[in-house]
Amino acid sequence: MQYSMFDSPLQVCGIPDFARSREIRRLPPELCDAASIDRHLGRRVPGARVRFRTDAETLSVTLKMATFAHDAGMSRYACSSANVCFGSGETYRFGGLVDPCDDLIRTQEFVKGPGLEDVTILFPRNEAVVDVVIEVADDAQVLPPTPYRYERPILFFGSSITEGGHAAVASNAYTALVSRWLDSDYLNFGFSGSCRGQTVLGEYFLSLDPSVFVLDYDHNAPDAAFLRETHEPFYQYLRANRPDLPILMLSAPNYDYLPEAEERRQIIEQTYKNAVAAGDQNVWFIDGRMLFGTIDRQSCTTDTTHPNDLGFYRMATVIYPVLKSILERN
């Protein structure tokens, strides 16, 4: 029996308004243009997931894409392959990849094992996806997935790091790790080289009713002066329109290598301090100097900018408890 991602009971997460629009994109073209974001960045959907439960011991997954683009900083396993994962909580495990191998359509077989379990298929970071199709035995059950503990999504707005570059596979990005540990839905609005605190996107983001807004675009600000001009105004826009929205601000993790690192960190921290001084009790700040830890920090990036899997894991271990406390309090 075959099911497309457009078919019930499969659930699609991480694609805004998919249930209504049936479009696989995270940002409408007109908003891409208004925010000076390449339309392809708006069409690709890092963090998107197809979810369901099945008792099938084996299944096939077909990934259909409209693009297959080389990325100099990442392998095709990271940027062009779908991750297939089984189980949840302590039983969660990586099942493997649907690797396109230069083809726009690729089918891969997987052995899940016996028993009724959740299956999560994570989209590739870089490509425009047309469909994800699963096939199981005709007598297998296919049911809706176990609901997330936190069904309102965490919204991440940031740079290529937020987007998942350069994780070895999509499920190792910090956004994916912390959301899985929290058992929360999430939306990834990382825009490689293009996230610059554009307030023109604010109304759209708030319409998605996030549970927490993670503001993480330090890297894409071209210099400290630009960051100073945009960071607090973006926070102020969010706060003016959603007084109760929890907002978590991050500064860049690769503090040791980033030009103007200390000045930029202080700008973001000052936004936070000003908010607290004004009486805001729904704002948090994580100092990027803490994200890679203190031991072997030099081993946490691929190119002094983008985290590798170690870097993303260390970021996630710092960010997770803060988000956990925010969600438990709200």
Side-chain angles (χ1 to χ4, degrees), residues 171-209:
S171 52
N172 286 350
Y174 90 81
T175 51
L177 288 171
V178 298
S179 300
R180 174 167 64 83
W181 296 343
L182 291 163
D183 194 19
S184 176
D185 196 1
Y186 68 101
L187 294 165
N188 188 323
F189 286 102
F191 295 105
S192 181
S194 302
C195 179
R196 300 191 172 186
Q198 299 97 318
T199 53
V200 69
L201 300 175
E203 182 179 0
Y204 176 68
F205 289 159
L206 293 179
S207 75
L208 303 176
D209 191 29

Side-chain angles (χ1 to χ4, degrees), residues 18 58 66 123 153 158 217 248 264 291:
F18 176 81
T58 63
F123 281 41
Y217 78 97
L248 172 60
R264 296 164 75 107
L291 290 171

